[in-house]
Amino acid sequence: MVSPERSREAWHPRSWRELPAAQQPPWPDETEVDGVLKHLSTLPPLVFAGEARRLTQALAQASRGEAFVLQAGDCAESFADLSADSIRDKLKVILQMAVVLTYGSGVPVVKVGRMAGQFAKPRSLPTEDVGGMEIPSFRGHIVNDEAPTTEARTADPSRMVAAYHQSATTLNLLRAFTKGGFADLSEVHTWNQQFVASSAEGRRYEAVASEIDRALRFMRACGIDLGAEASLHQVEFWTCHEALLLGYEEAMTREDSLTGDWYDCSAHMLWVGDRTRQPDGAHVELLSGLHNPVGAKIGPTASTRDVLELCERLDPERTPGRLTLITRLGAARVEQTLPLLLRAVADAGHPVVWVCDPMHGNTFLSDGGRKTRRFDDVLAEIQGFFSAHRAEGTRPGGVHIELTGDDVTECLGGAEEVLEDDLDLRYTTTCDPRLNARQSLDLAYRVAELLRT
Ligand code: TRP
Ligand code: MN
């Protein structure tokens, strides 16, 4: 085990390079990679240290049960899907979910998008067999293209620069939308897209939106100057992604001129995946020295000891809001496994935010060969997550959802049920199956109910 004190002293944005790094792409030409990273390290930061510190504060509230985290967005963002419409529609769903959660539970919602940088994907195998040919696996658009040819799958470092620019463009629009009037509570009706509004979930949403209108009118009638209340007109919206591609994250890591601390300025929050969370591995090393809030995915193979070691490496000072543990145990396992982890982490005194990822432990192949998830399993894992916290007296801090604003048919079930035969209709994800806008909204009602009780 790496001693936390010693390794912190030796930490540097490059110190991960001494350690085993899982899931790094086989770049054909390392000098080309070095050139790209050098260029990236001269480009402006995407987010600022002060913003990351504010998010830590918001997450600290969630760790105490005073706020609830909604972490949501694509499994993998796509170079083929950079448009104002798709960013806006994803934001609409997240805002709708946030409204439902805030109004339904009375608890503020910390909105964190898997957006503006969620490009790199870990893979279970480095290659795949396509028609008898062995080609490199698809690792996300920041590395290669998903077309099933050797050429398309060859890792191309210039894609890191393209990913940076797409992140900047996306973040720019998100900042405009969330600060410039689009997220104003008086716009609450306009986030309901046509294909959602016509469904049962959408009509239920309209009812909530009308109640919010009434509440605002009531406050105005009471003499409150609503125009002066900035919090009604804008939202704080944060970005996050998996810190998988270490060279890219290193190049985006900058020293804050105010505090002298290091921040990865590619996003407000970064997490390590279940496949890259080895306490003595390169990914944990990089995250351990950053001052951003960080997260770790915890799958069913993680032992209590693994989790405690990870907490010690990533949050030795036990700072509230610093560390978020995102559990993805599967609906069948959550009630058995989670209480042990909750107890051990609480006993060790780590004030972590517990977030439930109900997506990744519930993925399976449909008969037609499509990767999919059942809405009911997603919901069941969330219910198990809440009951484990209730039993242990700890705080359910949030949910982590893969969703899209589009009317896709990738996950099964929901009130307007998607059936196995429907999967082929609109299955457009570049990676894992996502909840569509109706299913996402449906889920928000259920979570709000759980939060209320
Ligand atoms: N600013 C508050 C918040 O973020 C209220 C708010 C404004 C809001 N627009 C919103 C909440 C859109 C949810 C969705 O909580
Ligand atoms: Mn995924």
Side-chain angles (χ1 to χ4, degrees):
M1 174 174 170
V2 190
S3 141
E5 296 78 37
R6 269 198 45 213
S7 68
R8 253 200 339 282
E9 244 164 65
W11 189 90
H12 188 268
R14 291 179 70 85
S15 56
W16 64 268
R17 292 178 179 269
E18 324 262 294
L19 298 170
Q23 297 284 344
Q24 300 309 288
W27 304 112
D29 180 352
E30 285 296 335
T31 43
E32 204 186 332
V33 176
D34 291 345
V36 164
L37 295 181
K38 207 158 168 221
H39 171 54
L40 276 172
S41 70
T42 65
L43 296 177
L46 297 175
V47 307
F48 295 99
E51 296 179 309
R53 284 193 285 274
R54 278 220 310 286
L55 175 56
T56 303
Q57 294 308 314
L59 292 169
Q61 287 189 304
S63 75
R64 294 188 293 265
E66 296 159 11
F68 192 74
V69 179
L70 174 61
Q71 206 174 7
D74 255 315
C75 176
E77 288 174 287
S78 166
F79 282 6
D81 183 28
L82 172 58
S83 71
D85 287 2
S86 98
I87 297 166
R88 182 200 59 207
D89 291 347
K90 217 168 294 166
L91 184 63
K92 278 182 176 174
V93 189
I94 296 176
L95 291 176
Q96 283 191 292
M97 291 180 80
V99 156
V100 166
L101 283 166
T102 312
Y103 191 78
S105 71
V107 175
V109 171
V110 185
K111 304 152 197 80
V112 194
R114 276 178 75 113
M115 292 176 84
Q118 175 53 31
F119 289 108
K121 300 311 298 173
R123 303 316 310 234
S124 44
L125 294 169
T127 59
E128 96 182 87
D129 181 53
V130 173
M133 260 228 316
E134 198 183 0
I135 62 169
S137 295
F138 173 54
R139 291 178 183 273
H141 281 167
I142 194 169
V143 176
N144 56 10
D145 186 83
E146 73 271 27
T149 66
T150 305
E151 204 193 355
R153 294 285 178 87
T154 302
D156 173 1
S158 74
R159 285 179 165 266
M160 289 192 275
V161 180
Y164 166 88
H165 287 294
Q166 179 159 333
S167 301
T169 310
T170 304
L171 189 55
N172 179 56
L173 199 58
L174 285 172
R175 289 187 192 278
F177 278 144
T178 54
K179 302 292 177 191
F182 182 82
D184 194 307
L185 270 185
S186 65
E187 297 292 315
V188 65
H189 292 278
T190 64
W191 308 328
N192 211 5
Q193 297 186 71
Q194 192 51 53
F195 76 92
V196 183
S198 59
S199 69
E201 298 91 325
R203 286 191 294 276
R204 192 169 171 193
Y205 176 81
E206 275 304 317
V208 172
S210 300
E211 283 179 47
I212 290 174
D213 285 341
R214 272 182 59 192
L216 291 173
R217 280 201 303 277
F218 173 71
M219 286 194 281
R220 192 176 295 115
C222 293
I224 296 170
D225 179 3
L226 299 185
E229 295 293 332
S231 65
L232 296 175
H233 310 300
Q234 51 189 33
V235 299
E236 288 203 290
F237 192 86
W238 315 98
T239 60
C240 68
H241 61 258
E242 176 172 355
L244 185 72
L245 220 52
L246 293 164
Y248 178 84
E249 303 302 341
E250 176 195 322
M252 294 306 296
T253 296
R254 314 291 166 83
E255 193 172 1
D256 173 31
S257 54
L258 259 176
T259 59
D261 291 332
W262 293 92
Y263 286 83
D264 182 345
C265 297
S266 71
H268 299 108
M269 179 189 187
L270 289 310
W271 78 81
V272 282
D274 195 39
R275 294 188 178 94
T276 50
R277 59 170 165 73
Q278 302 79 10
D280 48 3
H283 290 82
V284 169
E285 171 66 13
L286 179 67
L287 259 59
S288 73
L290 301 176
H291 282 69
N292 307 63
V294 298
K297 290 278 190 104
I298 305 293
T301 60
S303 67
T304 336
R305 200 171 145 259
D306 294 339
V307 174
L308 289 179
E309 213 175 318
L310 200 53
C311 288
E312 204 49 48
R313 283 282 281 139
L314 293 178
D315 179 36
E317 269 139 43
R318 293 161 169 73
T319 309
R322 155 72 180 168
L323 178 60
T324 297
L325 294 179
I326 309 161
T327 56
R328 24 102 67 238
L329 301 167
R333 284 202 186 85
V334 62
E335 277 196 75
Q336 229 184 16
T337 310
L338 187 57
L340 305 172
L341 301 179
L342 298 180
R343 204 170 310 156
V345 171
D347 286 349
H350 289 283
V352 306
V353 185
W354 290 100
V355 166
C356 175
D357 166 359
M359 314 298 294
H360 289 91
N362 297 305
T363 315
F364 66 97
L365 275 188
S366 74
D367 289 341
R370 293 284 196 190
K371 234 189 196 185
T372 189
R373 294 156 173 164
R374 283 193 191 89
F375 182 85
D376 287 346
D377 294 339
V378 169
L379 185 61
E381 178 154 358
I382 296 177
Q383 283 164 338
F385 173 82
F386 272 84
S387 55
H389 279 282
R390 204 163 300 132
E392 293 302 317
T394 44
R395 303 297 186 167
V399 289
H400 183 119
I401 308 292
E402 288 185 346
L403 55 71
T404 166
D406 302 334
D407 189 11
V408 300
T409 54
E410 299 173 4
C411 291
L412 301 170
E416 211 134 298
E417 201 175 348
V418 175
L419 303 168
E420 286 222 17
D421 284 344
D422 302 331
L423 288 179
D424 283 337
L425 292 176
R426 290 177 302 280
Y427 193 99
T428 59
T429 183
T430 35
C431 197
D432 288 339
R434 304 157 297 175
L435 296 181
N436 64 33
R438 281 190 304 262
Q439 292 166 327
S440 302
L441 203 49
D442 197 350
L443 196 71
Y445 291 115
R446 318 289 188 112
V447 175
E449 266 162 39
L450 288 166
L451 269 171
R452 242 193 331 256
T453 51

